[in-house]
Amino acid sequence: MSGAVPLDLAALESATERALRAAETTAELAEAETSALGKRSALAGAHRSLGALDEEDRRRVGRELHELRGRMEALAAELRRGLHERERAAALEADRLDLTEVVLGDLRSPIARGRTHPVTQTRDALEDVFVAMGFKVAEGPEAETDWYNFEALNMPPSHPARGMYDTFFLELGEPETIVLRTHTSPVQIRLMEAAVREGTLPIHAVAPGRCFRRDTADASHLPVFHQVEGLVVDRGITFGDLAGTIEAFTAAYFGPEVHSRLRPSYFPFTEPSAEYDITCTICLGAGCRTCSNTGWLELGGSGMVDPAVFLACGIDPEEWSGFAFGFGIDRCAQMRHQIPDMRALVENDLRFLRQF
Ligand code: DAH
């Protein structure tokens, strides 16, 4: 009876095992399982031919076939785990990001470089204009004492003008009140004190830097912003010197079609004081939405140094006179490049920043 069925189980097992082991991917393994263990496999055929055996052989061979199938299914499961692990590792390797890798890109073109931020570019350009006019560039600290930020600038405690500055306080009272400077004007005091100490009057200096106010950001205000301060202290300085300096700067930086205007105003540290406006860069003075149809845009403040400020620094206001001004660098960048919303300057969107 045994000749009617492929009872060479050892040969069947090794052929099945070979077919399974030949698979190199989980997909190939799935195919091998179908053809070696599925309905049309030699193994299934052997099961079907059991019916032709007598009862005793059928039981014995049936059990052996069942065990053989069990071994082959276990083998397939083990092979699948191995192949799956290998494929996962290969996929991870292919996906890997090497953040330290230097990407040369097209070797014929130069490596892409970063660039300075538009506010930095504006600050540099402003410095260039003032240096060409004979000013020195100075700097002061961003955390200031109440004395430099307010008191020496003729704003004693409880002076109502302090209300113009929404101040961040770092330390209150003892031993000193420390604030994040709300403007660059405290650098004026530091410059005058140093010139008195070192006997280096006169002063012609600009001081650019970062300032802070508790403002909610909107299209024309940022809580962290930049100003450039100007200070001239010399003998016989007049308001005409201030107006001429401001006009010369405006034309040099914004171009000959943009002019300056000084409008009466009030600051505690200057007398008289003036608001510094420039021709609206959007409509060039014709009147538009940006300038509320006035043709002018406000850039900052200015005036003749108040005698009280000279006295606070130990300078004799009978011998010396001077002017000062301060305006926003971010505002300058906004007007020069006609940026509708100042918040674009701090959003770090490369599509915006790459334009400059
Ligand atoms: N510090 C003033 C502010 O931020 C601006 C200012 C006005 C600066 C008049 C000056 C000045 O130097 O003379 O509001």
Side-chain angles (χ1 to χ4, degrees):
M1 290 293 298
S2 60
V5 289
L7 281 186
D8 188 350
L9 294 184
L12 178 61
E13 177 154 6
S14 67
T16 306
E17 184 175 340
R18 230 179 301 120
L20 293 176
R21 287 195 188 276
E24 288 182 7
T25 65
T26 47
E28 282 178 24
L29 180 63
E31 280 175 33
E33 284 183 78
T34 306
S35 54
L37 306 175
K39 278 199 193 101
R40 272 180 264 165
S41 63
L43 186 60
H47 266 289
R48 274 194 298 276
S49 60
L50 283 178
L53 299 180
D54 58 35
E55 167 135 29
E56 195 187 319
D57 280 349
R58 187 160 67 227
R59 244 198 245 140
R60 179 179 53 80
V61 177
R63 191 181 329 110
E64 284 173 9
L65 278 175
H66 181 72
E67 286 168 5
L68 191 160
R69 171 174 287 277
R71 286 194 295 280
M72 291 302 102
E73 284 175 355
L75 173 68
E78 182 193 322
L79 290 170
R80 189 163 41 247
R81 273 195 301 276
L83 291 172
H84 184 77
E85 191 48 47
R86 211 169 74 188
E87 286 169 7
R88 210 176 74 96
L92 281 178
E93 180 62 25
D95 257 10
R96 205 177 75 183
L97 267 186
D98 181 356
L99 297 178
T100 66
E101 186 182 12
V102 177
V103 179
L104 294 174
D106 183 347
L107 286 172
R108 286 162 304 179
S109 61
I111 295 167
R113 283 167 197 255
R115 63 194 72 208
T116 50
H117 189 275
V119 172
T120 307
Q121 290 176 27
T122 305
R123 174 187 164 149
D124 290 348
L126 294 174
E127 282 182 17
D128 285 349
V129 172
F130 283 113
V131 166
M133 291 168 74
F135 287 78
K136 291 211 161 59
V137 179
E139 278 190 344
E142 293 176 354
E144 270 293 12
T145 62
D146 187 89
W147 163 260
Y148 286 107
N149 197 79
F150 293 120
E151 196 148 357
L153 288 164
N154 202 25
M155 280 180 277
S158 84
H159 193 290
R162 286 186 177 216
M164 302 195 308
Y165 303 101
D166 294 303
T167 310
F168 286 111
F169 290 90
L170 297 181
E171 303 272 355
L172 276 180
E174 296 307 306
E176 256 178 323
T177 293
I178 312 284
V179 301
L180 285 177
R181 69 176 173 192
T182 57
H183 50 176
T184 44
S185 298
V187 188
Q188 287 185 34
I189 306 301
R190 293 183 174 275
L191 284 166
M192 287 189 269
E193 283 182 347
V196 168
R197 202 166 48 235
E198 290 152 24
T200 51
L201 284 171
I203 299 168
H204 306 85
V206 288
R210 195 150 52 157
C211 304
F212 309 82
R213 284 187 206 175
R214 274 177 37 210
D215 267 341
T216 303
D218 65 25
S220 53
H221 294 87
L222 297 173
V224 179
F225 59 103
H226 302 78
Q227 285 190 339
V228 57
E229 192 78 11
L231 176 69
V232 168
V233 178
D234 208 335
R235 293 186 173 89
I237 297 292
T238 68
F239 198 91
D241 295 315
L242 166 62
T245 303
I246 291 274
E247 176 64 18
F249 156 76
T250 304
Y253 180 72
F254 289 99
E257 67 282 13
V258 176
H259 296 284
S260 63
R261 172 178 84 168
L262 296 179
R263 188 160 41 83
S265 183
Y266 170 76
F267 296 99
F269 32 96
T270 42
E271 182 58 38
S273 303
E275 221 76 59
Y276 162 32
D277 299 339
I278 61 166
T279 311
C280 175
T281 53
I282 309 287
C283 63
L284 290 180
C288 67
R289 253 184 39 210
T290 305
C291 61
S292 314
N293 280 311
T294 62
W296 296 96
L297 293 167
E298 187 186 319
L299 207 57
S302 65
M304 301 305 290
V305 178
D306 194 291
V309 174
F310 277 142
L311 289 174
C313 300
I315 292 176
D316 179 2
E318 298 296 327
E319 185 183 353
W320 301 93
S321 57
F323 65 78
F325 56 84
F327 56 86
I329 298 178
D330 319 79
R331 193 62 73 87
C332 260
Q334 180 178 32
M335 289 174 185
R336 169 122 164 207
H337 300 294
Q338 290 142 36
I339 299 167
D341 193 318
M342 204 183 257
R343 287 170 288 196
L345 291 172
V346 289
E347 279 165 356
N348 284 339
D349 185 333
L350 287 178
R351 291 167 301 180
F352 170 75
L353 294 174
R354 282 202 178 110
Q355 300 176 84
F356 301 96

